[in-house]
Amino acid sequence: MVEKYADHKEVLNMANFALPLLEDNEELRHQRAVLLYHKAWLEMVLRAEEEGKKFVYNQFNLYTDLFYAFDLVPIPPEIWSLTKVTLRDGYGMCETIDAAHEAGIHPELCSAHKSAIGDQLLGNRIPPPAMIVNPSFPCDNTKVAYQVLAEVTGAPMLVMDCPYFGPDTDEKVAMDYWVQRVKELIRFLEEHTGQKLDPDRLKEVIEEANRAIEYVLEYESFRQLKPLPQPGVALGSAMGGFTMSGLPEYTELMKTLRDDIKDRVDKGKTAVPEEKLRLNWFYLHAFYDGGVYGWLETKGVVSPVAFHGYDVLEPIDTSTTESTIRGLAKKLLGFPMGRQGTGSSHIYIGDCIDATQRWQCDAVILSGHAGCKYIRGLIGLLRDELRKIGVPMLVFDMDTFDPRVAPPSQYYPIIEEFVDICVDKKEEGIALV
């Protein structure tokens, strides 16, 4: 029998090995903060099982604040599986993806969900849930996969029905409906934990999350500066919103990232010596390939914003329990990907254009994850709108979690050709589209 959580213990050992090496490296201070955060989450999960705490599987588009108010330990199954993706030279999720295939799971399902299902089927890969919560956004993959997870684990599941948002939506009516779904979630948690929601504890958790939001927004405003002060990919609320939002560890992460980029601005530091091109990665990059941003930076190409760093957060009014719940409901609709999957393509297109303009990007990259069907239908519409503002877009096919679909050696030349053309045109003063 496989040792319990062997992959994640290996990830934890790697973190413990790497952290002392980053201790005094000012240039990698932001990376150390992220590593400390991942270590804290993994340790919390492993400790929680020893203490007999209850786990809730929260679909990764759900911020965790409410679950911590009930003293639950949230685990988004997709993110738990993703944590091991860099093991075995980037093939860390392939064993569990293949286990799902062998069990008859359809190959077109998102590989993150297939891996999460494989974790369950192989056993001893992930702590079992006491309950499962799945909103109806962002895509059909989640609706299918979470039914399987509920069937395999036997855990009770709540599906939160999200109203459709579009140009003709009565947003007040839609939001009122959604607030009722959040209250339904509270009743579900009360039923399966055997405890009533403590308004004071909820307020405490939300106010902790509010402190993190302030750091998130300030951090992202610094990344809008030109030239970009900090190298690497943008890390917004999605960095930890689905694992530890509402806990001091997440607040500390965002404070450290804010402090680091602010310090770099004060010292006049930049991501690259000469900034030639700014890219908006407005979809998921290949998580098994952590080197793509560094490779582009050697060419003077920076990435000030990415899909998972685009936030529409605002602090929640905690003056009453009702205002807290309503503010939380609004926050739950703002998670990157979840927000863009709540209705009309206008949301994704508008957000992409907003990110491109606010972060002063020259071009957009849409790495087309094989599992995300809901994006495919709007690519032509998005390209047309970007052309109106003079911004070119690159689309290429890959799988965010499975390198066998499109290894870096296959898509690096595609990216390189695109950015080289954009840089040449920009230097010659020619319109990019």
PDB file of all heavy atoms in Angstrom, residues 175-194:
ATOM      1  N   MET A 175     -28.339  38.918  -7.646  1.00  0.00           N
ATOM      2  CA  MET A 175     -27.555  38.895  -6.420  1.00  0.00           C
ATOM      3  C   MET A 175     -28.402  38.458  -5.227  1.00  0.00           C
ATOM      4  O   MET A 175     -27.939  37.707  -4.351  1.00  0.00           O
ATOM      5  CB  MET A 175     -26.932  40.272  -6.155  1.00  0.00           C
ATOM      6  CG  MET A 175     -26.009  40.302  -4.938  1.00  0.00           C
ATOM      7  SD  MET A 175     -24.659  39.088  -5.004  1.00  0.00           S
ATOM      8  CE  MET A 175     -23.653  39.784  -6.313  1.00  0.00           C
ATOM      9  N   ASP A 176     -29.646  38.904  -5.175  1.00  0.00           N
ATOM     10  CA  ASP A 176     -30.535  38.471  -4.093  1.00  0.00           C
ATOM     11  C   ASP A 176     -30.682  36.948  -4.102  1.00  0.00           C
ATOM     12  O   ASP A 176     -30.679  36.297  -3.055  1.00  0.00           O
ATOM     13  CB  ASP A 176     -31.907  39.128  -4.224  1.00  0.00           C
ATOM     14  CG  ASP A 176     -31.884  40.612  -3.864  1.00  0.00           C
ATOM     15  OD1 ASP A 176     -30.898  41.052  -3.243  1.00  0.00           O
ATOM     16  OD2 ASP A 176     -32.847  41.320  -4.218  1.00  0.00           O
ATOM     17  N   TYR A 177     -30.819  36.391  -5.309  1.00  0.00           N
ATOM     18  CA  TYR A 177     -30.934  34.937  -5.446  1.00  0.00           C
ATOM     19  C   TYR A 177     -29.659  34.258  -4.954  1.00  0.00           C
ATOM     20  O   TYR A 177     -29.704  33.252  -4.235  1.00  0.00           O
ATOM     21  CB  TYR A 177     -31.201  34.579  -6.905  1.00  0.00           C
ATOM     22  CG  TYR A 177     -31.288  33.094  -7.178  1.00  0.00           C
ATOM     23  CD1 TYR A 177     -32.463  32.391  -6.955  1.00  0.00           C
ATOM     24  CD2 TYR A 177     -30.179  32.399  -7.658  1.00  0.00           C
ATOM     25  CE1 TYR A 177     -32.536  31.019  -7.203  1.00  0.00           C
ATOM     26  CE2 TYR A 177     -30.238  31.034  -7.906  1.00  0.00           C
ATOM     27  CZ  TYR A 177     -31.416  30.356  -7.677  1.00  0.00           C
ATOM     28  OH  TYR A 177     -31.485  29.000  -7.914  1.00  0.00           O
ATOM     29  N   TRP A 178     -28.509  34.820  -5.329  1.00  0.00           N
ATOM     30  CA  TRP A 178     -27.232  34.219  -4.942  1.00  0.00           C
ATOM     31  C   TRP A 178     -27.003  34.316  -3.437  1.00  0.00           C
ATOM     32  O   TRP A 178     -26.446  33.391  -2.820  1.00  0.00           O
ATOM     33  CB  TRP A 178     -26.106  34.877  -5.722  1.00  0.00           C
ATOM     34  CG  TRP A 178     -24.737  34.355  -5.398  1.00  0.00           C
ATOM     35  CD1 TRP A 178     -23.698  35.044  -4.862  1.00  0.00           C
ATOM     36  CD2 TRP A 178     -24.247  33.013  -5.602  1.00  0.00           C
ATOM     37  NE1 TRP A 178     -22.599  34.239  -4.714  1.00  0.00           N
ATOM     38  CE2 TRP A 178     -22.910  32.989  -5.163  1.00  0.00           C
ATOM     39  CE3 TRP A 178     -24.816  31.846  -6.109  1.00  0.00           C
ATOM     40  CZ2 TRP A 178     -22.129  31.841  -5.203  1.00  0.00           C
ATOM     41  CZ3 TRP A 178     -24.038  30.692  -6.154  1.00  0.00           C
ATOM     42  CH2 TRP A 178     -22.716  30.694  -5.703  1.00  0.00           C
ATOM     43  N   VAL A 179     -27.409  35.412  -2.836  1.00  0.00           N
ATOM     44  CA  VAL A 179     -27.285  35.540  -1.376  1.00  0.00           C
ATOM     45  C   VAL A 179     -28.053  34.413  -0.687  1.00  0.00           C
ATOM     46  O   VAL A 179     -27.592  33.839   0.313  1.00  0.00           O
ATOM     47  CB  VAL A 179     -27.780  36.924  -0.901  1.00  0.00           C
ATOM     48  CG1 VAL A 179     -27.916  36.958   0.620  1.00  0.00           C
ATOM     49  CG2 VAL A 179     -26.820  38.022  -1.354  1.00  0.00           C
ATOM     50  N   GLN A 180     -29.212  34.067  -1.234  1.00  0.00           N
ATOM     51  CA  GLN A 180     -29.984  32.959  -0.662  1.00  0.00           C
ATOM     52  C   GLN A 180     -29.239  31.634  -0.805  1.00  0.00           C
ATOM     53  O   GLN A 180     -29.343  30.750   0.054  1.00  0.00           O
ATOM     54  CB  GLN A 180     -31.364  32.872  -1.325  1.00  0.00           C
ATOM     55  CG  GLN A 180     -32.272  34.052  -1.019  1.00  0.00           C
ATOM     56  CD  GLN A 180     -32.414  34.296   0.488  1.00  0.00           C
ATOM     57  OE1 GLN A 180     -32.701  33.371   1.257  1.00  0.00           O
ATOM     58  NE2 GLN A 180     -32.211  35.543   0.890  1.00  0.00           N
ATOM     59  N   ARG A 181     -28.467  31.489  -1.879  1.00  0.00           N
ATOM     60  CA  ARG A 181     -27.691  30.261  -2.047  1.00  0.00           C
ATOM     61  C   ARG A 181     -26.555  30.192  -1.012  1.00  0.00           C
ATOM     62  O   ARG A 181     -26.205  29.111  -0.544  1.00  0.00           O
ATOM     63  CB  ARG A 181     -27.109  30.184  -3.470  1.00  0.00           C
ATOM     64  CG  ARG A 181     -28.135  30.265  -4.594  1.00  0.00           C
ATOM     65  CD  ARG A 181     -29.011  29.025  -4.719  1.00  0.00           C
ATOM     66  NE  ARG A 181     -29.961  28.819  -3.651  1.00  0.00           N
ATOM     67  CZ  ARG A 181     -31.111  29.516  -3.489  1.00  0.00           C
ATOM     68  NH1 ARG A 181     -31.428  30.504  -4.320  1.00  0.00           N
ATOM     69  NH2 ARG A 181     -31.924  29.238  -2.493  1.00  0.00           N
ATOM     70  N   VAL A 182     -25.989  31.346  -0.690  1.00  0.00           N
ATOM     71  CA  VAL A 182     -24.951  31.369   0.342  1.00  0.00           C
ATOM     72  C   VAL A 182     -25.562  31.037   1.699  1.00  0.00           C
ATOM     73  O   VAL A 182     -24.956  30.310   2.511  1.00  0.00           O
ATOM     74  CB  VAL A 182     -24.236  32.736   0.367  1.00  0.00           C
ATOM     75  CG1 VAL A 182     -23.247  32.817   1.526  1.00  0.00           C
ATOM     76  CG2 VAL A 182     -23.506  32.975  -0.959  1.00  0.00           C
ATOM     77  N   LYS A 183     -26.751  31.528   1.956  1.00  0.00           N
ATOM     78  CA  LYS A 183     -27.430  31.167   3.206  1.00  0.00           C
ATOM     79  C   LYS A 183     -27.775  29.677   3.227  1.00  0.00           C
ATOM     80  O   LYS A 183     -27.747  29.032   4.292  1.00  0.00           O
ATOM     81  CB  LYS A 183     -28.683  32.029   3.389  1.00  0.00           C
ATOM     82  CG  LYS A 183     -28.361  33.497   3.665  1.00  0.00           C
ATOM     83  CD  LYS A 183     -29.618  34.328   3.850  1.00  0.00           C
ATOM     84  CE  LYS A 183     -29.255  35.780   4.186  1.00  0.00           C
ATOM     85  NZ  LYS A 183     -30.449  36.638   4.359  1.00  0.00           N
ATOM     86  N   GLU A 184     -28.090  29.138   2.062  1.00  0.00           N
ATOM     87  CA  GLU A 184     -28.313  27.699   1.956  1.00  0.00           C
ATOM     88  C   GLU A 184     -27.027  26.937   2.289  1.00  0.00           C
ATOM     89  O   GLU A 184     -27.058  25.884   2.944  1.00  0.00           O
ATOM     90  CB  GLU A 184     -28.785  27.361   0.539  1.00  0.00           C
ATOM     91  CG  GLU A 184     -29.106  25.897   0.306  1.00  0.00           C
ATOM     92  CD  GLU A 184     -29.508  25.619  -1.135  1.00  0.00           C
ATOM     93  OE1 GLU A 184     -29.259  26.478  -2.016  1.00  0.00           O
ATOM     94  OE2 GLU A 184     -30.071  24.543  -1.390  1.00  0.00           O
ATOM     95  N   LEU A 185     -25.889  27.468   1.841  1.00  0.00           N
ATOM     96  CA  LEU A 185     -24.602  26.868   2.173  1.00  0.00           C
ATOM     97  C   LEU A 185     -24.380  26.888   3.686  1.00  0.00           C
ATOM     98  O   LEU A 185     -23.908  25.894   4.263  1.00  0.00           O
ATOM     99  CB  LEU A 185     -23.481  27.613   1.454  1.00  0.00           C
ATOM    100  CG  LEU A 185     -22.037  27.273   1.870  1.00  0.00           C
ATOM    101  CD1 LEU A 185     -21.744  25.789   1.664  1.00  0.00           C
ATOM    102  CD2 LEU A 185     -21.047  28.132   1.089  1.00  0.00           C
ATOM    103  N   ILE A 186     -24.711  27.989   4.322  1.00  0.00           N
ATOM    104  CA  ILE A 186     -24.555  28.075   5.775  1.00  0.00           C
ATOM    105  C   ILE A 186     -25.396  27.005   6.461  1.00  0.00           C
ATOM    106  O   ILE A 186     -24.925  26.315   7.383  1.00  0.00           O
ATOM    107  CB  ILE A 186     -24.932  29.491   6.269  1.00  0.00           C
ATOM    108  CG1 ILE A 186     -23.901  30.508   5.785  1.00  0.00           C
ATOM    109  CG2 ILE A 186     -25.036  29.519   7.802  1.00  0.00           C
ATOM    110  CD1 ILE A 186     -24.282  31.952   6.035  1.00  0.00           C
ATOM    111  N   ARG A 187     -26.632  26.814   6.016  1.00  0.00           N
ATOM    112  CA  ARG A 187     -27.493  25.783   6.611  1.00  0.00           C
ATOM    113  C   ARG A 187     -26.914  24.388   6.378  1.00  0.00           C
ATOM    114  O   ARG A 187     -26.976  23.520   7.257  1.00  0.00           O
ATOM    115  CB  ARG A 187     -28.908  25.888   6.040  1.00  0.00           C
ATOM    116  CG  ARG A 187     -29.649  27.159   6.453  1.00  0.00           C
ATOM    117  CD  ARG A 187     -31.120  27.085   6.106  1.00  0.00           C
ATOM    118  NE  ARG A 187     -31.347  27.073   4.660  1.00  0.00           N
ATOM    119  CZ  ARG A 187     -31.506  28.167   3.918  1.00  0.00           C
ATOM    120  NH1 ARG A 187     -31.449  29.373   4.483  1.00  0.00           N
ATOM    121  NH2 ARG A 187     -31.719  28.076   2.615  1.00  0.00           N
ATOM    122  N   PHE A 188     -26.350  24.175   5.195  1.00  0.00           N
ATOM    123  CA  PHE A 188     -25.727  22.888   4.868  1.00  0.00           C
ATOM    124  C   PHE A 188     -24.552  22.615   5.809  1.00  0.00           C
ATOM    125  O   PHE A 188     -24.411  21.502   6.338  1.00  0.00           O
ATOM    126  CB  PHE A 188     -25.257  22.923   3.409  1.00  0.00           C
ATOM    127  CG  PHE A 188     -24.489  21.720   2.956  1.00  0.00           C
ATOM    128  CD1 PHE A 188     -25.147  20.560   2.573  1.00  0.00           C
ATOM    129  CD2 PHE A 188     -23.093  21.738   2.898  1.00  0.00           C
ATOM    130  CE1 PHE A 188     -24.429  19.439   2.127  1.00  0.00           C
ATOM    131  CE2 PHE A 188     -22.375  20.636   2.458  1.00  0.00           C
ATOM    132  CZ  PHE A 188     -23.042  19.480   2.074  1.00  0.00           C
ATOM    133  N   LEU A 189     -23.714  23.625   6.031  1.00  0.00           N
ATOM    134  CA  LEU A 189     -22.572  23.465   6.923  1.00  0.00           C
ATOM    135  C   LEU A 189     -23.033  23.259   8.361  1.00  0.00           C
ATOM    136  O   LEU A 189     -22.433  22.454   9.102  1.00  0.00           O
ATOM    137  CB  LEU A 189     -21.643  24.675   6.818  1.00  0.00           C
ATOM    138  CG  LEU A 189     -20.997  24.919   5.445  1.00  0.00           C
ATOM    139  CD1 LEU A 189     -20.163  26.191   5.460  1.00  0.00           C
ATOM    140  CD2 LEU A 189     -20.145  23.725   5.013  1.00  0.00           C
ATOM    141  N   GLU A 190     -24.059  23.962   8.762  1.00  0.00           N
ATOM    142  CA  GLU A 190     -24.595  23.772  10.110  1.00  0.00           C
ATOM    143  C   GLU A 190     -25.099  22.340  10.307  1.00  0.00           C
ATOM    144  O   GLU A 190     -24.860  21.708  11.343  1.00  0.00           O
ATOM    145  CB  GLU A 190     -25.727  24.773  10.372  1.00  0.00           C
ATOM    146  CG  GLU A 190     -25.245  26.210  10.549  1.00  0.00           C
ATOM    147  CD  GLU A 190     -26.384  27.190  10.741  1.00  0.00           C
ATOM    148  OE1 GLU A 190     -27.510  26.908  10.273  1.00  0.00           O
ATOM    149  OE2 GLU A 190     -26.153  28.255  11.350  1.00  0.00           O
ATOM    150  N   GLU A 191     -25.797  21.847   9.298  1.00  0.00           N
ATOM    151  CA  GLU A 191     -26.351  20.494   9.390  1.00  0.00           C
ATOM    152  C   GLU A 191     -25.251  19.445   9.513  1.00  0.00           C
ATOM    153  O   GLU A 191     -25.357  18.508  10.334  1.00  0.00           O
ATOM    154  CB  GLU A 191     -27.202  20.200   8.151  1.00  0.00           C
ATOM    155  CG  GLU A 191     -27.742  18.777   8.102  1.00  0.00           C
ATOM    156  CD  GLU A 191     -28.467  18.456   6.803  1.00  0.00           C
ATOM    157  OE1 GLU A 191     -28.641  19.374   5.966  1.00  0.00           O
ATOM    158  OE2 GLU A 191     -28.846  17.279   6.625  1.00  0.00           O
ATOM    159  N   HIS A 192     -24.190  19.583   8.745  1.00  0.00           N
ATOM    160  CA  HIS A 192     -23.187  18.517   8.686  1.00  0.00           C
ATOM    161  C   HIS A 192     -22.018  18.723   9.638  1.00  0.00           C
ATOM    162  O   HIS A 192     -21.154  17.837   9.752  1.00  0.00           O
ATOM    163  CB  HIS A 192     -22.698  18.359   7.247  1.00  0.00           C
ATOM    164  CG  HIS A 192     -23.759  17.842   6.328  1.00  0.00           C
ATOM    165  ND1 HIS A 192     -24.175  16.544   6.335  1.00  0.00           N
ATOM    166  CD2 HIS A 192     -24.532  18.479   5.397  1.00  0.00           C
ATOM    167  CE1 HIS A 192     -25.140  16.367   5.445  1.00  0.00           C
ATOM    168  NE2 HIS A 192     -25.374  17.531   4.859  1.00  0.00           N
ATOM    169  N   THR A 193     -21.978  19.866  10.317  1.00  0.00           N
ATOM    170  CA  THR A 193     -20.994  20.042  11.392  1.00  0.00           C
ATOM    171  C   THR A 193     -21.646  19.915  12.765  1.00  0.00           C
ATOM    172  O   THR A 193     -20.950  19.714  13.764  1.00  0.00           O
ATOM    173  CB  THR A 193     -20.312  21.424  11.315  1.00  0.00           C
ATOM    174  OG1 THR A 193     -21.309  22.457  11.443  1.00  0.00           O
ATOM    175  CG2 THR A 193     -19.553  21.589  10.004  1.00  0.00           C
ATOM    176  N   GLY A 194     -22.967  20.063  12.806  1.00  0.00           N
ATOM    177  CA  GLY A 194     -23.669  19.999  14.083  1.00  0.00           C
ATOM    178  C   GLY A 194     -23.494  21.242  14.921  1.00  0.00           C
ATOM    179  O   GLY A 194     -23.709  21.222  16.142  1.00  0.00           O
TER     180      GLY A 194
END
